[in-house]
Amino acid sequence: MTSIKKIFLLFVVATFIISCSNKNAKVAELLIPQPAQTEVKSGSFNYETPSVYFTNVTDTNKSNLLELIKGIYPEATEATAEDASGVIRITQTIDSTLTSESYRLNITKKSIDIEAIDFGGLIYAIQTVAQLQYLAEEGIPCMQITDTPRFAYRGMHLDVSRHFFSVEFIKKQLDVMSFYKMNRFHWHLTDGAGWRIEIKKYPRLTTFAAWRPYNNWKEFWFGERLYCDQNDEKAKGGYYTQEEIKEVIAYAQKLNITIIPEIEIPGHSDEVLAAYPEYSCKGKPYTSGEMCIGNENTYTFLTNILSEVCELFPSEYIHIGGDEADHKNWKECSKCQNLIRKQGLKDEHELQSHLIKRIESFLNSKGKQMIGWDEIIDGGLSPNATVMAWRGEAGGIKAAQMGHDAIMTPGNWLYFDAYQDNPATEPEAIGGYLPLSRVYSYEPVPDSLTVEEKSHIIGVQANLWTEYIQTESHAEYMIYPRLLALSELCWCKAETKNWERFLPAANRHLDILKAKGINAHQISNSVIATEVVDIEKQTIELSFRCDKMPVEIRYTQDGTEPTKESTQYKKPISVKDSAIIKVAIFQNDKRITEVQTFTPLYHKAIGKKVSYNIPHCSHYVAKGEATLTDGYNGGASYGDGSWQGFNKDVDVVLDMGEVTAIKEIEVNFMQQAGPWIWFPEYVDIYMSEDGETWRKVKHIDNDVPRDTEGMLIKNFGFTGDETCRYIRYTAHQLPKQGAYMFIDEIKIK
Ligand code: ACM
Ligand code: ZN
């Protein structure tokens, strides 16, 4: 061969290797969670009936790992000798460079080598191979992976009280959790809507407190809140027998998942007290959701229950709830008040803590650790408790600062019962708005903590409360694909998280979820517009994206419907004063979505000063005093940083800087009954030239009922022909403690 020919051949071979490894690199990018370190090679492992050779693996682990491998290679068998090729070698090492649940995976054309120091690491290496099998066109692409989790606690929670879910359903979710390297299942087994775990000593918990004459939680909760006998012909609900629970625990163990049971005390216990009223303050059924702490028998009752729970669950942690207890009955109860006096407690928060500290000490005596929702801090934290922060992150921060472990599960990012797309087109949810991108954006370790404090944030969890979720397929719809984002929050280091990489991967995983029989939300194909307001240039720059991929966005600016010939969106559009932009998504020359209209407006009040006669609330500040004239409109979430919340009346004055012609004032309010956000009862708008003498130009009464379902946005504005310098905008709300009004902008045209 001439040297020219040789060089050419070398070039062809090199190009082939690069394109093969490029292809493999593309596959590697689709892994969720993204491994810590990947070195992509060319070629693939193409054996269909590999043998599996174990080194240093116990018989139980061998059989569990082999079972999982059979999900990839149904014909795989255990080898007695280390074959030279077509072999999966699994070694449990004592290599000190590997930590718990970490693994090394080396896929070559001839073999797949797996090393880890524990069962978790071995299983996750196999799960990575299982994902690669789904993601690659053929074979398992060659690569070398060294992978390690960011957090030890990677959790998913499910409320089975508000609606009951079958053992089969739980097992299916455990399979998928493990596939995404999640390792804690928080089973919310008890709550006011139904008790779900067999306790041998107290049979009425499951012959009565587990059943309601209504399936739908809404009917129960907004109706008479009755329970019924298991044998009642109307009985709906259910519970898990101890045998079933053992079966689920064993199933989870094979997937490296620990099940953490939650037995909710002392609040959220209406169902317990309907069955055993002697543990309520009044001693009568249907009188309280909180257990009587002043009654010593309550303590005996609880420790009897927890003894059975500790016996049943091998988990180191037992969750005892502790959230949202109402103090009303304790305040009126002589037994509770006596205990407060006798123990020198300050108030009912300390009364609750008194009980929880005793319960913790009982659990510790059984070799268990206690977890509670962040309210367990309020009356003094038990000595060894782990705190689950849900009312924002504050509880987790405080716990870490006190040297306690904490798990972050803040509602604003990780409550999967919130909407994940436009509430107008989604199944009814409890409220809030958590699209995939918002879940992904969460960073669990607050910057404000010291290095030592940071080490106490041991993990992350998402919660699925099921008040509005009656069916298993609806539960899956709410969990997925958001669990994919959760998986990366739990596993990947903050600096390796990357939304641009993750989003195409998540889109690809929709197919995998479907293949696994999961009813996932399909990721919104709505166009999402982002505005950047430039006060200096007096322009708005509008950009579009879509979380559904791949998509082709086309748009018009002349008010017509976009067609396949309309301009394809490539870069942001700059708007000087106002525009009407219509967009839609196209595929193969066909429009596949409804047309969406965006009307960016550089309105007259942008950048003008607003003063507050009554302050906005301290929780939903948005951008403070700049919020109402910053040009940014609120979206579907009241917590998105553009909506400003008011828990008293709205009374603000806008100074236009000079006398200005006013043709229109637009002020949008949000209403969402779930989180107590309502339209105002009425609005009054005043104008003035000097800021002292005012004339009322408009009074508007609200005509939207408070119990209207879903999320509503409505303009309480003005149209006319006026001139003025100052505008005073007032909105009155019906008095209700804890209720809010939300406004996003005062637009002047
Ligand atoms: C909770 O959401 N009440 C923990
Ligand atoms: Zn009491």
Side-chain angles (χ1 to χ4, degrees):
M1 212 188 299
T2 64
S3 56
I4 296 276
K5 265 190 186 161
K6 264 191 209 159
I7 288 168
F8 178 72
L9 202 64
L10 216 60
F11 174 76
V12 170
V13 171
T15 316
F16 179 73
I17 290 172
I18 290 169
S19 76
C20 283
S21 54
N22 273 349
K23 208 162 87 184
N24 286 359
K26 287 211 171 92
V27 172
E29 296 242 302
L30 298 173
L31 287 167
I32 293 177
Q34 190 60 194
Q37 271 177 38
T38 307
E39 198 183 318
V40 174
K41 304 281 165 65
S42 68
S44 55
F45 177 87
N46 283 324
Y47 294 87
E48 282 177 12
T49 52
S51 56
V52 186
Y53 185 77
F54 293 100
T55 307
N56 209 18
V57 179
T58 64
D59 284 346
T60 313
N61 286 351
K62 263 188 205 175
S63 100
N64 292 339
L65 294 166
L66 201 57
E67 201 176 314
L68 202 66
I69 290 173
K70 281 177 186 281
I72 312 171
Y73 299 109
E75 309 289 319
T77 49
E78 185 184 348
T80 44
E82 185 174 358
D83 291 352
S85 56
V87 64
I88 301 177
R89 279 185 290 260
I90 299 184
T91 308
Q92 186 158 342
T93 78
I94 45 166
D95 178 347
S96 61
T97 60
L98 285 170
T99 52
S100 176
E101 300 184 303
S102 303
Y103 65 90
R104 262 198 298 267
L105 169 64
N106 188 17
I107 305 160
T108 69
K109 289 178 199 165
K110 291 195 165 162
S111 62
I112 295 179
D113 278 277
I114 289 171
E115 277 185 329
I117 61 162
D118 53 15
F119 177 66
L122 296 177
I123 209 171
Y124 293 142
I126 296 169
Q127 296 291 26
T128 299
V129 175
Q131 282 204 11
L132 288 170
Q133 189 202 32
Y134 273 107
L135 295 167
E137 277 161 30
E138 59 172 334
I140 309 293
C142 294
M143 61 186 75
Q144 232 174 316
I145 291 177
T146 307
D147 204 4
T148 189
R150 179 176 182 195
F151 293 106
Y153 185 113
R154 305 183 295 280
M156 184 68 217
H157 150 291
L158 180 69
D159 163 16
V160 295
S161 171
R162 273 53 176 258
H163 291 103
F164 182 69
F165 298 91
S166 71
V167 163
E168 283 319 303
F169 175 79
I170 306 287
K171 287 183 180 173
K172 185 177 171 197
Q173 307 318 306
L174 294 171
D175 281 330
V176 184
M177 281 175 64
S178 177
F179 188 69
Y180 292 107
K181 303 187 173 78
M182 306 289 297
N183 67 356
R184 296 287 186 278
F185 175 58
H186 171 171
W187 209 352
H188 186 78
L189 286 163
T190 77
D191 209 303
W195 181 277
R196 306 295 180 207
I197 168 175
E198 179 190 19
I199 300 294
K200 307 249 189 223
K201 202 169 175 84
Y202 299 108
R204 269 179 69 74
L205 290 172
T206 44
T207 57
F208 181 73
W211 305 94
R212 316 188 292 243
Y214 340 77
N215 180 47
N216 188 343
W217 174 86
K218 270 170 74 176
E219 240 179 287
F220 162 77
W221 194 249
F222 299 113
E224 296 169 285
R225 300 193 187 179
L226 295 177
Y227 311 91
C228 66
D229 205 78
Q230 180 170 13
N231 300 324
D232 190 303
E233 61 180 24
K234 285 205 189 123
K236 296 283 186 323
Y239 66 91
Y240 308 103
T241 63
Q242 294 200 354
E243 282 313 305
E244 284 172 323
I245 286 183
K246 283 183 199 159
E247 181 189 323
V248 175
I249 291 169
Y251 193 88
Q253 273 172 338
K254 289 187 185 185
L255 296 164
N256 194 46
I257 295 172
T258 303
I259 300 192
I260 297 172
E262 180 180 348
I263 304 296
E264 170 86 73
I265 65 164
H268 284 273
S269 297
D270 318 63
E271 88 292 21
V272 179
L273 301 172
Y276 292 96
E278 57 270 42
Y279 306 113
S280 67
C281 288
K282 294 201 169 75
K284 295 199 182 94
Y286 298 110
T287 54
S288 178
E290 283 71 31
M291 297 165 178
C292 178
I293 297 177
N295 180 353
E296 185 61 20
N297 296 338
T298 302
Y299 178 76
T300 312
F301 174 65
L302 291 177
T303 50
N304 284 339
I305 290 172
L306 288 170
S307 289
E308 290 191 34
V309 171
C310 290
E311 190 68 28
L312 205 47
F313 288 87
S315 164
E316 175 193 4
Y317 290 115
I318 304 289
H319 199 306
I320 52 78
D323 59 317
E324 299 182 309
D326 191 339
H327 295 177
K328 182 173 160 286
N329 281 298
W330 299 339
K331 282 192 163 93
E332 293 164 1
C333 170
S334 59
K335 293 190 282 298
C336 287
Q337 292 306 313
N338 276 342
L339 186 64
I340 287 183
R341 268 193 300 279
K342 202 170 111 203
Q343 294 290 332
L345 305 173
K346 200 170 82 209
D347 56 13
E348 285 70 23
H349 288 293
E350 290 199 357
L351 178 69
Q352 162 157 335
S353 277
H354 173 78
L355 171 72
I356 295 208
K357 282 177 185 163
R358 285 186 74 187
I359 293 293
E360 169 171 72
S361 135
F362 172 78
L363 289 173
N364 290 168
S365 78
K366 295 267 171 193
K368 302 290 189 188
Q369 295 296 316
M370 186 184 81
I371 305 184
W373 299 111
D374 58 42
E375 284 92 335
I376 65 169
I377 300 179
D378 296 348
L381 190 51
S382 318
N384 306 311
T386 295
V387 172
M388 195 167 261
W390 72 279
R391 297 176 298 180
E393 294 182 293
I397 292 173
K398 203 161 166 187
Q401 286 167 340
M402 292 163 76
H404 285 248
D405 284 348
I407 297 152
M408 292 297 201
T409 177
N412 283 342
W413 285 277
L414 296 174
Y415 267 38
F416 287 1
D417 51 348
Y419 288 101
Q420 53 197 324
D421 195 2
N422 184 355
T425 55
E426 284 297 291
E428 188 188 6
I430 199 160
Y433 175 62
L434 290 182
L436 191 62
S437 54
R438 172 132 181 113
V439 176
Y440 196 78
S441 73
Y442 181 56
E443 167 47 42
V445 181
D447 266 345
S448 60
L449 297 179
T450 64
V451 174
E452 159 66 18
E453 289 160 359
K454 283 178 180 169
S455 71
H456 285 295
I457 309 293
I458 59 165
V460 191
Q461 177 175 291
N463 298 338
L464 188 67
W465 302 100
T466 58
E467 284 90 339
Y468 290 79
I469 300 169
Q470 288 190 63
T471 64
E472 298 182 339
S473 76
H474 188 192
E476 289 182 352
Y477 183 86
M478 301 305 273
I479 297 171
Y480 309 96
R482 289 186 282 199
L483 181 125
L484 307 184
L486 173 67
S487 152
E488 294 221 341
L489 296 188
C490 289
W491 190 271
C492 304
K493 292 213 160 50
E495 59 274 19
T496 58
K497 255 175 59 194
N498 175 347
W499 172 250
E500 271 67 42
R501 193 220 99 250
F502 170 78
L503 185 59
N507 271 272
R508 179 70 181 79
H509 278 252
L510 291 178
D511 300 336
I512 299 179
L513 291 169
K514 192 166 174 195
K516 289 183 176 292
I518 294 284
N519 175 41
H521 169 73
Q522 287 303 295
I523 301 188
S524 172
N525 62 7
S526 309
V527 171
I528 300 161
T530 312
E531 295 188 0
V532 177
V533 179
D534 188 327
I535 293 186
E536 227 158 71
K537 289 195 207 141
Q538 304 209 341
T539 57
I540 291 179
E541 199 175 73
L542 191 68
S543 31
F544 295 126
R545 71 180 167 86
C546 180
D547 284 350
K548 186 82 175 177
M549 298 190 149
V551 290
E552 185 183 304
I553 301 174
R554 294 187 179 274
Y555 70 97
T556 65
Q557 293 195 77
D558 59 4
T560 61
E561 304 252 304
T563 66
K564 64 182 166 55
E565 270 83 37
S566 303
T567 314
Q568 185 174 355
Y569 174 77
K570 290 270 163 59
K571 62 177 199 324
I573 303 159
S574 184
V575 174
K576 195 75 193 142
D577 36 36
S578 69
I580 298 174
I581 301 175
K582 289 185 184 260
V583 302
I585 295 196
F586 289 78
Q587 202 173 47
N588 303 326
D589 287 347
K590 274 214 178 71
R591 175 161 72 77
I592 59 160
T593 59
E594 299 283 308
V595 174
Q596 288 174 257
T597 305
F598 295 96
T599 52
L601 168 72
Y602 197 96
H603 66 83
K604 288 182 177 178
I606 289 180
K608 299 291 192 290
K609 183 172 167 49
V610 173
S611 17
Y612 293 73
N613 291 333
I614 300 175
H616 54 72
C617 79
S618 56
H619 258 78
Y620 298 97
V621 173
K623 296 175 206 102
E625 300 206 339
T627 306
L628 300 180
T629 50
D630 66 357
Y632 291 100
N633 301 318
S637 165
Y638 56 87
D640 67 5
S642 287
W643 289 100
Q644 191 167 63
F646 293 78
N647 50 0
K648 300 192 189 79
D649 283 356
V650 175
D651 189 348
V652 294
V653 175
L654 167 65
D655 179 0
M656 296 297 288
E658 60 190 348
V659 174
T660 306
I662 311 285
K663 298 255 190 277
E664 193 178 335
I665 302 174
E666 183 184 322
V667 179
N668 286 322
F669 284 75
M670 178 184 274
Q671 177 160 303
Q672 201 168 346
W676 283 17
I677 298 168
W678 278 290
F679 289 150
E681 189 187 8
Y682 61 83
V683 160
D684 285 315
I685 306 173
Y686 306 83
M687 291 185 182
S688 167
E689 272 65 47
D690 56 7
E692 280 169 19
T693 322
W694 295 94
R695 59 185 192 281
K696 192 193 278 194
V697 294
K698 184 87 180 178
H699 172 89
I700 310 155
D701 285 314
N702 177 33
D703 56 5
V704 180
R706 284 194 146 206
D707 55 2
T708 309
E709 273 185 10
M711 191 275 285
L712 312 173
I713 293 178
K714 181 176 156 76
N715 170 24
F716 288 76
F718 159 90
T719 45
D721 201 352
E722 294 279 345
T723 57
C724 70
R725 173 169 169 177
Y726 298 95
I727 295 162
R728 179 169 169 218
Y729 189 91
T730 66
H732 181 73
Q733 73 167 336
L734 279 176
K736 175 156 186 172
Q737 209 194 355
Y740 285 98
M741 290 188 283
F742 274 81
I743 314 180
D744 64 343
E745 184 78 358
I746 302 178
K747 288 185 224 168
I748 306 293
K749 302 178 203 173

